[in-house]
Amino acid sequence: MPTDSAAGRRSADNLWKRFWGRHNDRAGYLFTLPAGLHLAVFVLVPILFSVYLSFHEWTSPRFLDAPFVGLQNYAKLIGDVPFWHAVKNTLIYTFVSVPFGMAVSLFLAVIVNRRIPGINVFRAVFFLPVITSWVAVSVIWITLLAPDGGLLNYLFGQVGLPGQHWLDSERWAMFAIIVITVWKGAGFQMVIWMAGLQSVPTEILEAASIDGAGKFRSFWHVTVPLLFPTTFFLLVTGVIGGLQVFTPMYVITKGGPLGATDVAVYHIYKRAFQEFSMGYASAQAWVLFGIIFLATLIQLAYAKRRGESALA
Amino acid sequence: MAIPATGVAPSVEDLARRDRKPSVTSRPRKAKITLWSVIKTLLFYAMLIFLAVGMLLPFLWMITTSLEPPGTAFSYPPKILPTTFDLTSYRQLFTLVPFARYFLNTLIVTAATVVGQTIFCSTAAYAFARLQFIGRKALFILFLATMMIPFQVTMIPLFLMVFQLGWVNTYFGLIGPGISSAFGIFLLRQAFLTIPRDYQDAARIDGASEWTVFFRIFLPLTKPALATVGVFSFMGTWNDLLWPLLVSRDEEHRTLELGLAYFNASASAFQQPNWPLMMAAAVVVLVPVLAVYIFAQRYFVAGISLSGVK
């Protein structure tokens, strides 16, 4: 009917005007466009494509030769012992290195968080490993930990401890990488701890000291609880980062010896780009995302139960 | 950053807290200098120096080893401080291995990424902070939500797309995915939100276009935040291994990180590694980042505190 379509056109016109007509709206879209396009092409499309891949048996970088296999990739994954071994290693790496790193960095933050001459130099020194690249750090530590002629075994020998094949032993390789991780990341967390420490009100600390609390008591019972938002932030981001670890395993140990440092991302990388099982590797990537997501949710739930605002 | 951010302007309390002097650091000092307090201070510095030496030892070791004549085995006892000053390894690095090429590649990729990030992130951040348009909130939440998805999920399809586009072994492939980021947009949006509305209104009344307001008023006023985004994307790109590993299959387009990783792999697979050469390579990779760090130290720290405290 003519009247209806005219009305329809009019309302479509109105909508168009509302959408595009206002000067401010137009500018808004134009300013968002470059980043929006980039996000769509390089993030959103790959996410959808990754879901699609995980339901196909994709075995070459070429398009159009991938049979649909439904949930087969996910089913195959359940009995995949090496994958779960890599997941277990990832969890060990994360849940040892994160608390260890947080403790070390809190200690550093407490000792550099005072105004004494030269303290900036120390802060800068502790921060130095943060800015250095993982590959360079890995190569340096490979030589430091070399069984013959490496510095660490020499120092061990000087104090009468037996030297070890740090990086080629199933027993020590993961431990060594965790120590390197803590050394490299402590400065980063130190800066965040310092910001947290500086937000603790002096009045509360003064009140505690008037009540007769010693330095350690007031630190443990006043400062630490007040630092909860910082602690929580470092824990959540640390766990997310830890579960995604790749470079040290790739450069230092190649996942070895005997799979002792094979972690999830390295495992996915090998499946996808060395064996070209891209569909299967995508399914593994989604399982890893599920684990990360679950770990984050558990932590958020914990913070909520404590009744703290989780996000500072 | 996987935390869904609330994305509000800093509250008055936040600002007040920021203005107040850091309280813990400026505790009133005891007036009396006793013997015990002197000893305590000395012990404290001793501990700081001990820790600092522990942190620096790997770097000293790197420099010392790189200055050894090439091909020499480890000396016994190991040397912490350099006693020889042999630059042969550095020369070899640029003659035996195309390290100059790697260096140039890394420079191109990093520069393009930093420029892209500052432009794309700042325009989008300006729109999200200062312009009204339908769907603004939903779009911003979508941007932030993508931070939740780890790179490992998107790297396989991204590689396939880059492969299909014929971008493997090109600068496009290396640069493409990095030129904007939700993190940069979030950080700059926070900065734009702190600028008073009057500035924008006054400029508009004077007849300035939206672009002029953005370019002539907002960008100059948020230089520190821009520098922080620049420094962060510089560091992230310069130090990245995983993506170049996927898209640089030939030597022509290898970055420094990738070159060093391959160098290390081939050394341990085929021959006794040439330690001085390896360490010289590590020095070459680290020096530019160190230089930027020295000049832009406060932006590093600002970026970290912003990502952590906000």
Side-chain angles (χ1 to χ4, degrees):
Chain A
M1 273 175 278
T3 42
D4 267 15
S5 81
R9 192 157 356 106
R10 207 161 39 238
S11 77
D13 266 8
N14 281 341
L15 201 69
W16 176 248
K17 248 179 211 147
R18 265 192 66 205
F19 185 74
W20 191 249
R22 287 187 309 203
H23 159 79
N24 220 0
D25 275 21
R26 198 158 49 208
Y29 294 122
L30 289 176
F31 272 87
T32 335
L33 192 68
L37 271 180
H38 183 264
L39 182 86
V41 173
F42 289 101
V43 183
L44 294 180
V45 169
I47 288 172
L48 298 176
F49 191 11
S50 174
V51 177
Y52 176 86
L53 272 172
S54 75
F55 294 114
H56 288 75
E57 194 182 321
W58 204 295
T59 49
S60 126
R62 266 167 281 279
F63 278 120
L64 303 172
D65 58 348
F68 177 73
V69 293
L71 287 169
Q72 227 177 69
N73 283 331
Y74 291 93
K76 190 165 117 192
L77 218 147
I78 295 168
D80 187 344
V81 177
F83 173 70
W84 294 110
H85 180 69
V87 169
K88 194 188 90 186
N89 283 336
T90 314
L91 294 175
I92 293 173
Y93 169 83
T94 305
F95 291 105
V96 177
S97 70
V98 171
F100 183 25
M102 282 170 68
V104 169
S105 55
L106 177 59
F107 175 73
L108 291 180
V110 168
I111 63 169
V112 300
N113 191 36
R114 57 184 79 195
R115 287 199 181 155
I116 53 172
I119 199 68
N120 278 333
V121 176
F122 291 102
R123 287 178 187 169
V125 165
F126 296 155
F127 192 73
L128 201 58
V130 175
I131 56 155
T132 58
S133 82
W134 252 119
V135 179
V137 160
S138 300
V139 172
I140 297 167
W141 278 86
I142 289 171
T143 66
L144 276 171
L145 299 178
D148 301 311
L151 185 62
L152 192 73
N153 275 357
Y154 170 77
L155 292 176
F156 266 48
Q158 292 305 104
V159 291
L161 288 165
Q164 300 289 341
H165 280 65
W166 299 106
L167 299 170
D168 344 302
S169 94
E170 270 186 90
R171 192 161 151 219
W172 292 114
M174 183 61 96
F175 177 75
I177 290 186
I178 288 172
V179 169
I180 300 169
T181 303
V182 171
W183 172 82
K184 187 176 187 312
F188 185 88
Q189 301 193 326
M190 176 188 82
V191 171
I192 297 176
W193 280 125
M194 277 168 64
L197 285 172
Q198 291 176 2
S199 71
V200 173
T202 355
E203 301 84 52
I204 303 183
L205 289 169
E206 275 160 13
S209 96
I210 290 165
D211 287 347
K215 260 190 179 166
F216 278 100
R217 268 182 77 98
S218 64
F219 179 74
W220 195 246
H221 293 287
V222 178
T223 310
V224 169
L226 284 173
L227 282 175
F228 183 77
T230 311
T231 316
F232 182 72
F233 173 82
L234 287 176
L235 190 69
V236 172
T237 51
V239 167
I240 291 170
L243 294 173
Q244 298 180 25
V245 65
F246 170 78
T247 310
M249 281 72 179
Y250 175 81
V251 182
I252 302 179
T253 55
K254 291 277 172 203
L258 295 169
T261 58
D262 194 18
V263 285
V265 176
Y266 184 63
H267 195 81
I268 293 167
Y269 164 80
K270 276 191 302 186
R271 287 270 193 220
F273 300 105
Q274 286 174 8
E275 299 169 18
F276 287 107
S277 306
M278 294 184 148
Y280 187 42
S282 296
Q284 294 185 341
W286 280 108
V287 170
L288 175 64
F289 168 69
I291 294 169
I292 295 172
F293 194 66
L294 200 71
T296 311
L297 279 187
I298 292 170
Q299 294 173 79
L300 283 168
Y302 168 73
K304 211 170 178 186
R305 221 185 52 198
R306 270 190 54 138
E308 308 264 357
S309 80
L311 298 170
Chain B
M1 274 269 311
I3 301 222
T6 44
V8 289
S11 65
V12 181
E13 282 156 31
D14 283 343
L15 292 171
R17 198 183 304 145
R18 214 174 293 159
D19 287 341
R20 208 192 312 148
K21 271 189 184 160
S23 45
V24 176
T25 49
S26 59
R27 230 179 284 163
R29 236 171 261 161
K30 296 210 173 76
K32 257 194 207 159
I33 298 174
T34 61
L35 182 63
W36 177 228
S37 75
V38 172
I39 293 173
K40 254 184 13 187
T41 311
L42 286 177
L43 281 174
F44 186 74
Y45 273 107
M47 179 179 71
L48 278 176
I49 289 166
F50 178 78
L51 286 168
V53 168
M55 283 304 219
L56 287 177
L57 212 54
F59 295 108
L60 286 176
W61 169 266
M62 167 183 79
I63 293 165
T64 305
T65 310
S66 76
L67 295 172
E68 293 279 296
T72 43
F74 287 122
S75 54
Y76 192 88
K79 285 186 289 187
I80 310 289
L81 293 171
T83 50
T84 48
F85 194 79
D86 190 314
L87 289 175
T88 321
S89 294
Y90 289 90
R91 219 169 301 130
Q92 281 185 348
L93 207 55
F94 292 92
T95 50
L96 295 179
V97 195
F99 246 67
R101 175 87 215 182
Y102 302 164
F103 202 96
L104 184 71
N105 289 340
T106 314
L107 215 59
I108 292 170
V109 171
T110 308
T113 308
V114 170
V115 170
Q117 285 259 344
T118 37
I119 295 172
F120 289 177
C121 292
S122 61
T123 49
Y126 177 69
F128 286 131
R130 286 315 176 123
L131 299 173
Q132 297 294 327
F133 55 97
I134 298 168
R136 181 180 71 149
K137 254 200 184 131
L139 206 56
F140 185 60
I141 289 169
L142 181 72
F143 269 76
L144 289 181
T146 60
M147 290 204 280
M148 287 277 296
I149 306 284
F151 179 66
Q152 290 79 42
V153 167
T154 52
M155 74 179 176
I156 298 169
L158 253 183
F159 171 75
L160 291 176
M161 286 164 62
V162 164
F163 184 90
Q164 285 300 317
L165 287 167
W167 281 3
V168 169
N169 290 329
T170 64
Y171 292 116
F172 282 120
L174 278 165
I175 296 161
I179 49 171
S180 93
S181 71
F183 173 69
I185 293 170
F186 174 68
L187 199 145
L188 286 170
R189 179 178 173 272
Q190 296 298 93
F192 288 144
L193 282 173
T194 60
I195 293 169
R197 226 205 123 70
D198 310 345
Y199 286 48
Q200 197 175 355
D201 293 338
R204 282 227 192 95
I205 291 164
D206 288 348
S209 71
E210 210 53 71
W211 174 257
T212 314
V213 176
F214 164 72
F215 199 74
R216 305 288 292 274
I217 295 170
F218 277 77
L219 280 192
L221 283 174
T222 48
K223 264 186 203 152
L226 277 173
T228 303
V229 169
V231 161
F232 261 55
S233 54
F234 168 82
M235 209 168 60
T237 317
W238 191 278
N239 290 341
D240 187 28
L241 174 73
L242 188 48
W243 184 244
L245 186 64
L246 302 184
V247 294
S248 302
R249 304 262 148 169
D250 66 1
E251 204 156 44
E252 289 280 282
H253 295 88
R254 225 166 255 177
T255 58
L256 272 178
E257 285 287 284
L258 194 54
L260 185 58
Y262 275 134
F263 196 25
N264 171 50
S266 66
S268 46
F270 300 118
Q271 82 247 28
Q272 183 65 24
N274 183 345
W275 294 125
L277 197 59
M278 294 288 295
M279 291 299 101
V283 171
V284 170
V285 173
L286 292 186
V287 161
V289 187
L290 277 182
V292 171
Y293 174 60
I294 289 165
F295 284 109
Q297 202 181 358
R298 67 198 179 100
Y299 301 118
F300 279 90
V301 175
I304 290 168
S305 327
L306 227 116
S307 70
V309 182
K310 281 276 100 187

